[in-house]
Amino acid sequence: MKSIDRYMARLIAVPLFSTLVIAAMLLVLDRMLRLFDFVASEGGPVSVVWRMLANLLPEYLGLGIPIGLMLGVLLAFRKLATTSELDVLRGVGMSYGRLLRTPYLYAIALALLNLTIVGFVQPWARYNYEGLRFELRSGALGASIKIGEFTNLGNRMTLRIEESHKGGAELSGIFVRVAPPKGGWVAATAERGQFLATDDPNTIIFRLTNGTLLHDQPGFRAPRVLSFTSHDLPIDLPKFGNFRARGGRDLERTLPELAIIGRDKGQPAETRASARANFHFRLVEVATMFLLPMLALALGVPPKRSNSALGVFLSIVMIVTYHKVNEYAEAFGSLGRIDPLIALWGPFLIFAGLVFWMYYTIAYVPGGQPIGALEKAFDKGLKALMSRLPGRRRKRGAAA
């Protein structure tokens, strides 16, 4: 790489990776609070929150990588323009096409990474995330026993504990009721209790101390009552159903799997349309990344004698809006009312045409500025707003 390429690589790297990390952290923090509430309400271990967040990270990277690339390239060109370095480079014969060489190296590498994430990693991560949600709701992850509340462990056992000490090693104020598979029931109250493991992983022993036990089953005239100083109550752990196979949703299918389903004439028309729509949605999102360096250049270079940051704001608006248009086109194409190829690649061609026009204007039209009119309107509006602020009016009155 030449020195200018290395310089551009450094300018792009800092805002690119900073934006990527910040975006991922914001999305993770937003979901983390909801996951903590969900896990707490289901009585699961806190450690499962980190496993669920790890499985959501590929989805967040799929959204954050294009934004990071866009802002990284845009802020690099904005720095070159505001420090007059861009004028020097242009003055020595450096074209915009030459300056885009390093941004496109970033774009190619990140597009391949994003294709791997959305095409292969994200489906498996999404499936693992849904599997953890299923295990939490079914109790397969080991639901915690809430102190002072009746807790159902499976369909045959109800337990209530008044106090817990030493991380659950010492329990007191115990009520337990078990319904054996053969019928009847066993209920007991005890001052203290302790769970003990056995050689059978499907059975545990609940050792009760100083209590009373009631046992009833078909054939008994009345429940039998027993007072004890120590009693071992065997408890069969509930059996949980298996989670469904992967592929119940389009989000859980890889790109090759979506392509196979989309071409399978034996599948229902709605299933084929949905698979094709999701397939083209992922490809369009990756293909859009090759337009971002040109768009970033067009929006990152402000007009002469202007430090307006309108381009930064407009870039985020354009990416988010286009992403939402793609989501709507995917939903519309999955209904089968319009071919997914047209529904998703049509807006892409329109967006690409807009980007090429903006790039051509700034690169080949003398003095061209694709958002020049917006910049002027933005500056006038900002000056009008600042002039009407209370502090500014008092300063004008004092000066008069």
Side-chain angles (χ1 to χ4, degrees), residues 149-187:
E149 299 181 14
F150 287 95
T151 303
N152 293 319
L153 301 181
N155 297 324
R156 299 183 178 276
M157 179 177 177
T158 302
L159 180 66
R160 188 177 190 274
I161 296 174
E162 289 290 342
E163 297 179 4
S164 174
H165 303 283
K166 296 183 180 180
E170 295 182 2
L171 308 174
S172 59
I174 297 166
F175 168 81
V176 59
R177 185 183 187 278
V178 180
K182 297 181 180 180
W185 52 268
V186 176

Side-chain angles (χ1 to χ4, degrees), residues 104-114:
Y104 265 100
L105 292 178
Y106 273 103
I108 293 171
L110 292 176
L112 292 175
L113 175 62
N114 205 21

Side-chain angles (χ1 to χ4, degrees), residues 39-56:
V39 172
S41 63
E42 297 295 335
V46 176
S47 60
V48 75
V49 173
W50 313 118
R51 294 166 58 189
M52 298 179 78
L53 287 175
N55 285 299
L56 287 175

Side-chain angles (χ1 to χ4, degrees), residues 24-39:
M25 288 179 61
L26 290 176
L27 292 170
V28 165
L29 289 174
D30 176 65
R31 183 60 68 89
M32 184 188 300
L33 298 177
R34 286 181 285 174
L35 287 180
F36 271 121
D37 291 339
F38 173 70
V39 172

Side-chain angles (χ1 to χ4, degrees), residues 67-82:
I67 296 178
L69 173 64
M70 178 73 185
L71 291 181
V73 178
L74 187 149
L75 294 177
F77 277 106
R78 177 177 170 79
K79 182 179 184 300
L80 290 176
T82 54

Side-chain angles (χ1 to χ4, degrees), residues 289-300:
M289 296 183 63
F290 293 102
L291 302 175
L292 297 183
M294 290 187 291
L295 180 61
L297 169 62
L299 296 177

